Amino acid sequence: MAFDKVTEEESRYHHLEEMSVEEMLRSMNEEDKTVPAAVEKAIPQIEKLVAAIADRMLAGGRLFYIGAGTSGRLGVLDASEIPPTYGMPSDLIIGIIAGGETAIRKPVENAEDDELQGWLDLEQYEVSDKDLVIGVAASGTTPYVIGALAACRKQGIATGCIVCNPGSPVAAQADYPVEVVVGPEFVTGSTRMKSGTAQKLVLNMISTAVMIRIGRVEDNKMVNMQLTNSKIMDRGTKMVMEATGLTDYEEARELLVRSGSVKKAVDSVTR
């Protein structure tokens, strides 16, 4: 299938090694400024994907991210932040990377080229038609991701994707494709740069919007965050004070510790 692989087009900048450090940094910053505009164009696609995910979660389903390299790591990162931020179980949003846990820190040779392994990795989690699987692949050509999404569709499992090339093979296997076309990279083909930034922005938008839609945020507060460190305890205590009218910091903190979450602490006072 022919399509424009914009992510591999030559950089607009030349002789990078001859640039001053300031010139390099300003040039990279200028390129990075274009990313939010590219994401904005994809908001209608992102909206459809968020709605589909929220519907499935409210019906007991899960969300999977699957990718390789930088794209895979970004999916794993987003999934790992959901339990502490929103107090959700770790098996609600699951990140899978080609090559397994080792690949999070070190490249695993040829892992992304195995078109069958993606589905095998999903099967380990007993993925079903209640779930939704998002392929994350800047190029849109990663065999590991293409194979996983194609197998999902055969099994009646809804699919989405986040890619940075238009009309890609990965998008062809997605029921809810998100295409964020950021153009050539500062260093030719280095998709951990603008493409990676775009994917991170979209992942943030998806998981945050879904958590809000399923009721894990009240007003603008993370009322279900896990109380895992002193910074979060302090933030949570102040949230309890604001919501309940309690003026004694220690009293509010003790209530928070006893209740286990801001939401439960506030509910115990306001009901």
Side-chain angles (χ1 to χ4, degrees), residues 38-89:
V39 172
E40 183 179 13
K41 291 178 182 177
I43 285 177
Q45 295 180 322
I46 300 168
E47 180 185 7
K48 292 176 183 176
L49 179 54
V50 166
I53 296 165
D55 285 347
R56 279 163 178 76
M57 282 195 179
L58 289 170
R62 298 166 295 171
L63 171 62
F64 290 85
Y65 299 131
I66 188 162
T70 298
S71 298
R73 292 182 192 100
L74 289 169
V76 170
L77 173 62
D78 193 77
S80 70
E81 291 174 341
I82 298 306
T85 308
Y86 297 107
M88 298 301 285

Side-chain angles (χ1 to χ4, degrees), residues 8 13 19 36 40 46 68 83 87 106 134 140 143 174 181 187 205 231 240 264:
E8 297 297 325
Y13 304 83
M19 288 182 175
E40 183 179 13
I46 300 168
K106 297 179 181 179
I134 297 177
V181 184
V187 175
M205 293 167 79
K231 178 186 75 173
V240 170
K264 290 177 181 177

Side-chain angles (χ1 to χ4, degrees), residues 1-7 9 45 138-141 163-169 171-172 178-183:
M1 181 174 111
F3 73 103
D4 294 326
K5 205 168 183 179
V6 183
T7 55
E9 288 182 2
Q45 295 180 322
S139 68
T141 60
V163 297
C164 296
N165 282 316
S168 70
V178 174
E179 298 171 308
V180 186
V181 184
V182 296

